């Protein structure tokens, strides 16, 4: 991922890259055993996405965390380790998550050019000043919602504080924070917003259920839902949907065009055996994400309209990197509490604003001084990393990939 501002996104994964694994330096933190997670993102200027898997190993005798990464693709960046801080025992949700130190490295082991930890957002965009809702009759609204965003609690580069500041700057007064496999990031964001920006923004808690068949936002829940195997059965997916409903939450199906996009060299969908919209409706999902970043999913929008008595349409920035905003879900709630907003979503009373060009201003992350220190060595390493390309496919967020690995060696370089 080059230093260009980008909120793209989540996951990809597929890309080609050098067949090599590198190790970063150890970081010493006095925390409980972390949760294994991975980072995936895409360059704004390249159709080839790049990702790497970040694995964390806890060393009890020294309370250290060693972050080891296997890089696939162009420049990438490691994600925060995830740890549950202080609080009672019993699991991830009993205490606030504390991100460990970020170790940003590129494909060749060189630190990333940008330091996202220093980014601030001091502007204010007003989308209602120049955009009209998709439903021309939906003109009275008091909520501008981003229903899908990430933080450093999964694979985003912004902390919960930064993510909230970014959302306010881009005209949102409500967000649903949906980190992969955990509600911890949304709880941290909610606490920050309530303490510092209670008059400006409302945070609804949730998580993104992530596997090799589907990505779904589980919203309005305060406890993480256990994730089934990388390739869950239909019954296992039904069980997840039912469990969220039992918890009082809602299930929104994410970015179907992205999930079904063809991946090479496998010539198969990014998420194989992705359930059909008809299946998902039968299983009881509550709605579909009809805009993801600047992709308008016309078919899902039409499907929601055809089943408007059962489905709601939401939009999401799917923000991983700070960049342009493209869509705002519009809601007219009795008040701007999380409960009132969720009530409108349950009753399927939403529309949205869409700006396919995206908002300005944009901002580059400040330079990371270590990048210039190590970049020359990275150029030497690039030569040795060029002997083979390894294609791993889409990351499952469960320690595996969704496609079989393909290794392409370059005999002419041997």
């Amino acid at each position: 991922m080059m230093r260009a501002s980008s909120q793209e996104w989540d996951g990809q994964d597929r890309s080609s890259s050098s067949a090599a694994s590198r190790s970063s330096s150890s970081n010493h933190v006095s925390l409980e055993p972390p949760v294994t997670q991975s980072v995936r993102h895409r360059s704004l200027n390249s159709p080839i996405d790049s990702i790497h898997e970040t694995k964390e190993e806890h060393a009890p005798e020294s309370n250290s965390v060693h972050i080891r990464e296997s890089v696939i693709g162009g420049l990438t960046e490691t994600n925060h380790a995830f740890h549950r801080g202080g609080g009672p025992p019993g699991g991830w949700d009993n205490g606030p998550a504390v991100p460990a130190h970020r170790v940003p490295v590129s494909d060749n082991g060189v630190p990333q050019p940008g330091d996202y930890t220093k980014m601030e957002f001091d502007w204010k965009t007003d989308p209602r000043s120049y955009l009209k809702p998709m439903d021309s009759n939906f003109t009275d609204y008091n909520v501008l919602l981003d229903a899908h965003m990430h933080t450093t609690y999964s694979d985003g580069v912004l902390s919960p504080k930064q993510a909230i500041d970014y959302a306010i700057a881009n005209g949102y007064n409500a967000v649903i924070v949906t980190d992969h496999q955990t509600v911890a990031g949304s709880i941290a964001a909610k606490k920050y917003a309530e303490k510092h920006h209670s008059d400006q923004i409302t945070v609804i808690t949730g998580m993104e259920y992530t596997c090799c068949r589907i990505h779904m936002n589980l919203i309005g829940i305060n406890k993480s839902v256990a994730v089934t195997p990388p390739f869950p059965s239909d019954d296992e997916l039904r069980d997840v949907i039912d469990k969220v409903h039992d918890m009082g939450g809602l299930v929104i199906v994410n970015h179907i065009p992205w999930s079904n996009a063809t991946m090479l060299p496998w010539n198969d969908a990014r998420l194989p055996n992705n359930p059909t919209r008809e299946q998902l409706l039968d299983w009881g999902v509550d709605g579909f994400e009809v805009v993801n970043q600047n992709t308008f999913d016309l078919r899902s929008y039409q499907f929601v309209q055809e089943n408007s008595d059962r489905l709601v349409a939401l939009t999401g920035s799917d923000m991983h990197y700070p960049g342009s905003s493209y869509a705002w879900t519009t809601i007219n709630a009795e008040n701007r509490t999380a409960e009132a907003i969720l009530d409108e979503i349950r009753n399927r009373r939403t529309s949205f604003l869409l700006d396919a060009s995206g908002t300005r201003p944009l901002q580059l992350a400040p330079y990371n001084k270590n990048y210039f220190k190590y970049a020359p060595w990275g150029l030497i390493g690039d030569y040795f990393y060029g002997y083979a390309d390894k294609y791993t496919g889409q990351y499952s967020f469960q320690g595996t990939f969704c496609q079989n690995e393909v290794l392409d060696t370059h005999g002419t370089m041997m």
Side-chain angles (χ1 to χ4, degrees), residues 380-400:
I380 298 174
D382 283 342
Y383 173 79
F384 296 100
Y385 296 150
Y387 286 107
D389 290 328
K390 182 169 68 174
Y391 301 85
T392 58
Q394 170 64 37
Y395 185 63
S396 69
F397 275 84
Q398 299 180 56
T400 61

Side-chain angles (χ1 to χ4, degrees), residues 10 37 40 81 111 255 316:
D10 162 275
Q37 189 51 284
R40 317 96 64 249
H255 49 61

Side-chain angles (χ1 to χ4, degrees), residues 290-363:
V290 299
V291 179
N292 179 281
Q293 293 190 44
N294 62 346
T295 297
F296 176 33
D297 181 359
L298 176 60
R299 183 66 196 98
S300 289
Y301 176 75
Q302 292 171 332
F303 190 72
V304 170
Q305 299 303 304
E306 293 161 3
N307 298 277
S308 59
D309 59 332
R310 298 177 60 184
L311 297 173
V312 66
L314 295 180
T315 67
S317 69
D318 204 353
M319 191 274 291
H320 291 73
Y321 285 81
S324 293
S325 291
Y326 300 96
W328 300 256
T329 298
T330 56
I331 294 172
N332 189 27
E334 181 178 349
N335 54 60
R336 212 164 35 76
T337 63
E339 293 75 17
I341 295 171
L342 283 169
D343 187 58
E344 293 301 306
I345 295 174
R346 286 191 184 94
N347 286 285
R348 302 171 298 281
R349 294 190 288 258
T350 68
S351 187
F352 60 90
L353 310 178
L354 177 62
D355 178 0
S357 298
T359 57
R360 296 187 183 89
L362 294 177
Q363 184 182 21

Side-chain angles (χ1 to χ4, degrees), residues 18-23 68-71 385 390:
S18 325
S21 295
R22 284 67 116 184
S23 295
R68 184 181 72 242
E69 66 170 348
S70 175
V71 181
Y385 296 150
K390 182 169 68 174

